[in-house]
Amino acid sequence: MSKAYSLFFFLLIGLTTSKYVVANDTKPKTSFYYRQIDSKNGLSNSSINTIFQDQDQLLWVGTWDGLNRYDGAHFSVYNHNIDQVENSIGGNVILSIKGDQNQNIWISTIGGISRYNKPSGKFSRYFYKKTAPQKIRENEYDLIVNDKGEVFCFAVNGVLSKFDFDHDQFVSFQKFGTKETIVKMNFVGDKLCYLNKKGILTVTKVSQNKLQTVKSISDPSGISNFFSVDNQIIYTTNTEHQFIVDGNLAVKPLDLPLRKIKAIAAYKAHYLIAWENQGMSVFDKAFKKTDFLRNEVTALENLKITGFNVGNDQVLWIGTDGNGLIQIYPKENFFGLLTKINGTKINKPIRAFAEDSGNLWVGTKGNGVFIFNNFWSEGNKKPQKIDVSSGLENNSVFAIRKGADQLIYIGTDGRGLSVHDLKLKRTINWKDIKNTEKLPEFKSVYSIIQDKNGSVWMGTSGYGLIHANIVRNADQSLAVINFKQFASSAENNGPINDIIYALAEGKDNRLWIACRYGGLSVLNKKTGQFKTYKAFGYEGSLSHSDVLSLFYDSKNRLWIGTSYGLNYLSNEESLKEKPKFIKITTDKGLPNNTIHAIQEDGLGNIWVSTNKGLAKINPANNSIANYQESDGLQSNEFSDGATFMAANNNLFFGGIYGFNYFYPKDIIENTKQPNLLISDLQLGGKAFQNNQYLIVKAKQQTIQSYELERKSNFFQFSFNALNYFNASKNEFAYKLKGLDQAWRYTGSDGKIAYYNIPPGKYELLVRWSNGEGVWTKDIVALKLDVKQYFWLTYPAYAFYLLLLIAGGYAFHLYRKNKLEMKFKLEREYLFRQKDEEVHRQRINFFTNIAHEIQTPLTLILGSVEHFMQKKSLLDKSVDKNYFLSVVHQHTARLTYLVQQLLEFRKAEAGYLKRSDDYFDISKLLNSLTQLFIPAAEKK
């Protein structure tokens, strides 16, 4: 493993550090990456028997210890589980892997055949129970699948079976005789070929229910093995000679080494042959030796190769016996790379570039300036060096600018500005330039530009903006004739900050100034007035006030790099009081928001360097292509302001471990979209069985639907693109339609989780890029139905409504009955009161009548007694008449009272009628008085 990795590093550096001359638009020579993958990367076993890539772009690897599924970033391992006999692979020793057109992966193991259904994640087993343990052999079953997706299995007992998908079983197709022992069987195109133990190769055609022999091929020494490649048959004899059978079944000998062949594959118009013992060879289409993959063949010469697989993305997979999986893929993008100078690795950041007549000037932060004479010529030449030992003010160089009059201006961390005089071939420091002794001190020049009139503008770190005219005197000495320093000011007479990282000048005599932590300042050279734009000042303002880089492009647009994204401003917009900045950040596809340097290529594309590689922006549609260290960059981290366009339109970008140079037209964009793998899916905390997964393609396919209970209203999953050589470049965005209002963006290995999802129906929308600016459309990955608690569903609400209505009705009845009962009780109470009143009136009436009766009786009694006591007086006629009159009167009175009692009865019966009459009240009172006279006299 370590040897292979060392070779990979050697190949990568060797291929990319060589100088590449680009005078015309020519395509660079293709090179290859070499990568070794073994158990350290998650592979279950480093001894590989078979490799297969399915129609979904997933790679399946069969080892001596399990089935492996590889997605370019992770391995998922399928092992035999004795506790899940019906839902795990039949054995751990994987001999061959095939795929059909029904989303099945067929696995031949020791002892039988297993079928893995990808949509359901379930395994099915065949033949295992029919084989006695003592008879198990390594090649018990031979599994073959044709282009139509028909699955056949040949067993050592001589029976060729065909799988019946309708009944989920293998049915006998043809029985071979006991004398014809088959040792190998395989499809070559639409022909089924098999080799028997006698060394005869038979080519057949599969009919409805049997095999029809097309041709039998034999050799005097006997055929020992055969292989299928490019719809041709290559077979070897027992004497280790090789022959090829073309499409017309014509046999031709091959001039190959007399060695046993283990595997053959066709790759990029070449044939790869793995030899039985170890190593491999590469031949062209005429089977002539070639230097194609020479370095890779050298790396594999001591490895035992067990098989090849050529992926649909031109990745070559090589299985080995004990050394894991080898991945070889073409390096399509060409970035020139320089990481060593004089054989020593560059350990100081590259900060500046300049060019003079084909000579490249490179400024470093700590090692001075390197000058590569005739940089574009073939061969590596020892660079010249300018540093403190040769007169440079300071070894930390931040800016280099070739000026007029054979002068190159060098900004360092030292005092003032250093100037290299090409005419005199010497470096002149600021203190050695005339008229500088009385000027204000400044240092740390980070940016330099020169006006048309020859004056120089300098941005410094801590000393503001400097403007100076440096001229050559008659004696060839240099002198400063004009000097002005613009310090930071809250007014309009200086930049917003004294720390200036970049300067840019447009066509309208305005100077733009990048102020760190302050914003973007602009100087109107005609008026001398400054204006500053900051972030968050208004809608459409700058993305961040920490400005790192500036660039004016050919369309008169100003590009502004900040520590939080890229901005650009049209010339028309820049004239407004509140211009609208167009922002481009990681949300739009940038690899990183820290923009170190900006440059334009000859095609109008904008290139930016970041902390995570380079990005190319197409201003026409804002598409973004990203490039990283795996594409050949010096590293993913680049330096502030370190960019340059050479005279031949090559671009330079400096970083922390060297610099890259390239011709933009040679950078080939990948327009192919990888599939998206959704794995580790957990719904409501329950994980899928057997590492079940979902494949989402760039074109909308059938959508899987899932349900979640209300109490388990959460899910999580991981997704990554099936990219086997630059997976880290892919970007993803997702949105749960029905919940999220905006798209969410994630890195190359997205782990997504949603919790406490409200009840409802949702769609998970995804889109992803291929890492080079091409994004898919919005794709529905899955549908989700979060169920509500039953007591909160519409049927429950209907039940509650019915219950409420029933309750209301019951309450109504209750209230009604209560009111009726209250009314009855009140009525009964009134009746009772009325009855009592009647009864009371009756009592009062009878009491009154009794009193009335008692009074006449008393008077009658008194009169009689008085009459008896006064018998002697009765002789008088007057007294006699008086007492008789009293008796008569009271007798009449009693008669009247009795009559009243009778009338009361009539009143109860309702027959009493009112009768009114007149009487003499004086007579009444007189008569009443006369009644009591006897009684009074008695007393």
Side-chain angles (χ1 to χ4, degrees):
M1 167 115 181
S2 60
K3 186 182 294 184
Y5 274 123
S6 298
L7 180 59
F8 168 59
F9 182 78
F10 171 77
L11 287 171
L12 180 60
I13 298 302
L15 287 168
T16 56
T17 56
S18 60
K19 294 288 193 302
Y20 175 62
V21 180
V22 182
N24 299 309
D25 185 8
T26 58
K27 185 176 180 179
K29 185 177 179 180
T30 302
S31 57
F32 293 87
Y33 288 108
Y34 180 102
R35 182 187 179 199
Q36 185 174 7
I37 304 170
D38 56 15
S39 57
K40 293 181 180 179
N41 304 98
L43 190 65
S44 64
N45 188 276
S46 294
S47 294
I48 296 173
N49 292 322
T50 182
I51 307 170
F52 173 74
Q53 189 172 26
D54 64 18
Q55 58 189 1
D56 293 327
Q57 302 175 6
L58 279 169
L59 191 72
W60 299 83
V61 182
T63 71
W64 282 89
D65 187 20
L67 173 68
N68 296 257
R69 188 193 77 216
Y70 185 52
D71 57 28
H74 311 95
F75 280 97
S76 297
V77 181
Y78 301 83
N79 285 115
H80 174 67
N81 190 335
I82 196 170
D83 295 327
Q84 296 182 1
V85 177
E86 299 300 328
N87 204 29
S88 68
I89 196 168
N92 283 333
V93 180
I94 313 299
L95 301 177
S96 68
I97 305 172
K98 300 288 193 301
D100 62 24
Q101 296 176 354
N102 296 314
Q103 293 292 306
N104 294 308
I105 299 296
W106 293 89
I107 309 106
S108 175
T109 71
I110 290 181
I113 303 294
S114 294
R115 176 173 65 92
Y116 178 71
N117 183 257
K118 294 190 288 185
S120 65
K122 294 183 178 180
F123 280 95
S124 301
R125 300 183 183 184
Y126 309 94
F127 304 115
Y128 289 95
K129 296 181 180 180
K130 298 180 180 180
T131 306
Q134 64 272 18
K135 294 183 179 180
I136 289 180
R137 293 185 294 181
E138 184 174 323
N139 296 315
E140 186 80 15
Y141 299 95
D142 201 356
L143 185 67
I144 52 177
V145 181
N146 63 14
D147 295 337
K148 299 178 182 179
E150 296 176 322
V151 181
F152 293 85
C153 179
F154 179 76
V156 294
N157 59 8
V159 177
L160 177 65
S161 302
K162 183 179 179 181
F163 187 72
D164 185 350
F165 285 94
D166 294 332
H167 298 89
D168 191 21
Q169 63 180 358
F170 280 94
V171 295
S172 179
F173 186 79
Q174 182 166 324
K175 172 72 174 177
F176 291 88
T178 55
K179 296 181 179 181
E180 192 175 16
T181 304
I182 308 300
V183 296
K184 186 175 182 178
M185 185 176 287
N186 201 1
F187 275 102
V188 180
D190 60 346
K191 304 291 191 302
L192 179 61
C193 304
Y194 61 86
L195 178 66
N196 62 23
K197 198 171 184 179
K198 296 179 180 179
I200 299 174
L201 178 64
T202 303
V203 180
T204 68
K205 181 179 180 181
V206 180
S207 64
Q208 187 67 26
N209 53 10
K210 66 176 183 178
L211 301 179
Q212 296 179 347
T213 301
V214 177
K215 185 176 183 178
S216 293
I217 303 172
S218 62
D219 187 88
S221 62
I223 298 174
S224 60
N225 204 349
F226 76 95
F227 306 90
S228 172
V229 59
D230 279 351
N231 287 325
Q232 300 178 106
I233 303 171
I234 295 179
Y235 67 82
T236 61
T237 67
N238 290 321
T239 57
E240 299 183 357
H241 288 82
Q242 296 87 18
F243 295 84
I244 185 171
V245 182
D246 61 20
N248 297 321
L249 301 182
V251 180
K252 298 178 182 179
L254 294 175
D255 186 16
L256 298 177
L258 298 180
R259 299 176 63 182
K260 289 185 178 181
I261 297 175
K262 178 64 177 178
I264 300 178
Y267 181 63
K268 286 188 170 293
H270 291 80
Y271 290 116
L272 313 179
I273 298 180
W275 305 109
E276 183 70 35
N277 294 326
Q278 62 183 25
M280 62 174 283
S281 299
V282 181
F283 302 89
D284 61 16
K285 283 295 185 179
F287 284 93
K288 302 296 182 181
K289 260 300 191 139
T290 177
D291 288 337
F292 181 68
L293 294 177
R294 179 181 60 183
N295 294 327
E296 290 73 21
V297 170
T298 301
L300 294 165
E301 62 183 359
N302 295 320
L303 303 183
K304 185 176 181 180
I305 297 173
T306 57
F308 296 108
N309 182 272
V310 179
N312 52 17
D313 47 8
Q314 294 300 306
V315 176
L316 174 64
W317 301 96
I318 303 175
T320 68
D321 186 6
N323 294 94
L325 187 66
I326 306 299
Q327 180 186 14
I328 296 174
Y329 55 96
K331 177 188 174 185
E332 298 291 351
N333 295 321
F334 188 90
F335 287 95
L337 175 67
L338 195 147
T339 59
K340 292 182 179 181
I341 296 178
N342 299 332
T344 303
K345 287 185 178 181
I346 297 175
N347 57 3
K348 302 293 183 182
I350 304 298
R351 292 296 301 265
F353 300 96
E355 187 181 27
D356 171 49
S357 302
N359 301 324
L360 181 68
W361 290 59
V362 180
T364 70
K365 187 180 179 180
N367 278 335
V369 178
F370 291 96
I371 305 173
F372 296 87
N373 294 319
N374 299 318
F375 181 79
W376 302 109
S377 64
E378 293 287 350
N380 293 321
K381 296 182 180 181
K382 185 177 181 179
Q384 299 177 11
K385 187 177 182 181
I386 300 176
D387 56 10
V388 292
S389 63
S390 56
L392 190 64
E393 176 70 24
N394 190 284
N395 279 340
S396 290
V397 177
F398 299 119
I400 305 176
R401 174 74 65 171
K402 182 184 178 183
D405 201 10
Q406 294 291 298
L407 299 178
I408 291 183
Y409 301 102
I410 304 174
T412 72
D413 208 19
R415 290 177 296 176
L417 178 69
S418 296
V419 182
H420 185 83
D421 191 335
L422 294 173
K423 185 181 293 186
L424 301 179
K425 296 182 180 181
R426 66 188 181 98
T427 302
I428 305 169
N429 290 321
W430 185 252
K431 64 182 179 180
D432 299 322
I433 300 176
K434 293 181 178 180
N435 304 331
T436 59
E437 62 276 1
K438 296 181 180 180
L439 297 178
E441 182 180 351
F442 70 94
K443 60 179 182 178
S444 299
V445 176
Y446 274 49
S447 180
I448 306 170
I449 64 172
Q450 190 172 31
D451 271 345
K452 294 179 181 179
N453 61 8
S455 63
V456 177
W457 294 87
M458 292 169 277
T460 69
S461 179
Y463 297 89
L465 179 66
I466 307 294
H467 186 210
N469 273 11
I470 301 176
V471 297
R472 187 189 296 272
N473 296 320
D475 61 355
Q476 301 302 313
S477 64
L478 300 180
V480 176
I481 58 174
N482 290 307
F483 181 91
K484 188 173 183 179
Q485 184 177 19
F486 299 89
S488 61
S489 172
E491 305 297 331
N492 294 331
N493 54 5
I496 192 64
N497 195 306
D498 284 335
I499 304 176
I500 299 172
Y501 265 40
L503 300 171
E505 187 175 22
K507 299 177 181 179
D508 54 1
N509 213 24
R510 288 187 296 171
L511 181 67
W512 296 86
I513 306 160
C515 299
R516 285 225 66 174
Y517 317 114
L520 176 65
S521 294
V522 57
L523 168 64
N524 189 322
K525 296 181 185 178
K526 293 182 179 179
T527 63
Q529 295 295 305
F530 286 82
K531 185 176 181 180
T532 298
Y533 302 97
K534 289 175 172 281
F536 314 118
Y538 55 90
E539 185 70 22
S541 61
L542 200 63
S543 65
H544 202 280
S545 295
D546 185 16
V547 184
L548 303 174
S549 52
L550 297 174
F551 183 80
Y552 242 107
D553 68 8
S554 58
K555 303 292 184 182
N556 209 21
R557 289 172 297 207
L558 176 66
W559 295 82
I560 308 106
T562 72
S563 59
Y564 190 73
L566 180 68
N567 305 255
Y568 70 87
L569 193 64
S570 67
N571 184 63
E572 296 78 8
E573 197 71 27
S574 69
L575 298 174
K576 297 180 181 179
E577 182 66 23
K578 292 185 177 181
K580 183 178 180 181
F581 293 84
I582 307 300
K583 305 175 184 64
I584 303 175
T585 63
T586 53
D587 290 346
K588 301 290 182 63
L590 284 180
N592 181 257
N593 279 330
T594 301
I595 311 300
H596 290 296
I598 310 171
Q599 189 60 254
E600 183 182 19
D601 65 21
L603 300 175
N605 297 311
I606 300 298
W607 292 77
V608 298
S609 60
T610 73
N611 280 335
K612 288 189 177 180
L614 295 178
K616 181 180 72 172
I617 299 105
N618 183 348
N621 55 16
N622 283 341
S623 64
I624 301 175
N626 297 323
Y627 305 95
Q628 299 180 346
E629 186 175 359
S630 57
D631 292 308
L633 302 183
Q634 50 82 33
S635 75
N636 281 337
E637 184 176 348
F638 285 83
S639 302
D640 292 322
T643 184
F644 178 71
M645 175 183 273
N648 59 5
N649 289 331
N650 272 264
L651 301 187
F652 287 79
F653 283 94
I656 59 174
Y657 296 126
F659 64 87
N660 291 101
Y661 56 95
F662 56 93
Y663 191 57
K665 284 188 178 181
D666 289 338
I667 307 302
I668 303 170
E669 290 188 8
N670 175 25
T671 58
K672 184 178 179 181
Q673 284 289 359
N675 290 339
L676 187 70
L677 173 71
I678 295 180
S679 58
D680 301 328
L681 184 58
Q682 295 185 19
L683 297 173
K686 295 181 180 179
F688 282 0
Q689 294 182 348
N690 295 317
N691 293 316
Q692 190 179 352
Y693 59 89
L694 296 176
I695 293 292
V696 183
K697 298 184 178 181
K699 292 184 178 180
Q700 187 67 65
Q701 305 290 322
T702 304
I703 305 171
Q704 295 282 348
S705 298
Y706 302 94
E707 291 185 356
L708 283 177
E709 296 297 330
R710 182 67 176 89
K711 63 181 180 180
S712 303
N713 59 340
F714 62 94
F715 72 98
Q716 61 184 22
F717 61 91
S718 301
F719 56 57
N720 60 279
L722 296 179
N723 187 335
Y724 293 98
F725 41 87
N726 268 325
S728 60
K729 293 173 60 176
N730 296 103
E731 297 172 290
F732 307 94
Y734 63 95
K735 179 171 71 172
L736 192 60
K737 186 178 180 180
L739 181 65
D740 292 331
Q741 298 298 319
W743 286 90
R744 302 186 185 191
Y745 290 83
T746 183
S748 59
D749 189 9
K751 292 186 179 298
I752 310 303
Y754 280 92
Y755 298 99
N756 198 26
I757 307 172
K761 296 183 181 295
Y762 302 93
E763 291 182 349
L764 180 65
L765 299 179
V766 296
R767 60 187 183 193
W768 63 98
S769 78
N770 65 351
E772 297 187 10
V774 181
W775 285 77
T776 65
K777 295 181 180 180
D778 299 349
I779 304 296
V780 181
L782 57 87
K783 292 184 177 181
L784 196 66
D785 186 5
V786 179
K787 297 296 184 181
Q788 179 60 279
Y789 291 120
F790 176 75
W791 54 88
L792 295 177
T793 60
Y794 287 115
Y797 287 140
F799 174 74
Y800 300 150
L801 180 60
L802 292 175
L803 191 63
L804 182 63
I805 293 173
Y809 182 69
F811 178 76
H812 169 70
L813 291 179
Y814 166 76
R815 183 68 176 168
K816 180 181 178 182
N817 292 336
K818 185 176 180 180
L819 290 175
E820 288 181 354
M821 185 178 294
K822 181 180 180 181
F823 177 73
K824 288 180 179 180
L825 291 174
E826 288 178 351
R827 188 172 59 181
E828 289 179 1
Y829 174 74
L830 291 175
F831 286 158
R832 192 180 302 114
Q833 279 190 330
K834 185 176 181 181
D835 290 345
E836 290 179 355
E837 179 66 22
V838 171
H839 180 69
R840 186 179 58 79
Q841 290 178 356
R842 287 175 182 176
I843 298 299
N844 291 337
F845 174 76
F846 284 111
T847 303
N848 292 334
I849 291 298
H851 282 291
E852 292 294 330
I853 293 173
Q854 186 180 13
T855 299
L857 288 177
T858 303
L859 293 176
I860 292 172
L861 181 62
S863 296
V864 172
E865 289 178 353
H866 184 74
F867 180 75
M868 292 177 66
Q869 290 176 2
K870 294 182 177 183
K871 277 186 177 183
S872 60
L873 296 177
L874 291 175
D875 294 335
K876 296 179 180 180
S877 58
V878 178
D879 293 336
K880 179 179 179 182
N881 292 334
Y882 170 76
F883 286 109
L884 288 176
S885 175
V886 170
V887 171
H888 176 268
Q889 185 178 354
H890 286 289
T891 303
R893 174 72 176 167
L894 287 174
T895 302
Y896 172 75
L897 292 175
V898 171
Q899 187 64 36
Q900 286 289 96
L901 290 176
L902 295 176
E903 292 294 333
F904 179 79
R905 177 59 183 164
K906 288 181 181 181
E908 280 194 331
Y911 296 108
L912 180 63
K913 293 183 179 180
R914 182 174 176 177
S915 178
D916 297 325
D917 199 2
Y918 294 98
F919 64 93
D920 189 348
I921 191 168
S922 61
K923 288 182 178 182
L924 175 64
L925 294 176
N926 187 46
S927 63
L928 288 175
T929 305
Q930 292 296 324
L931 293 176
F932 294 96
I933 292 176
E937 292 178 352
K938 186 179 178 180
K939 296 181 178 180

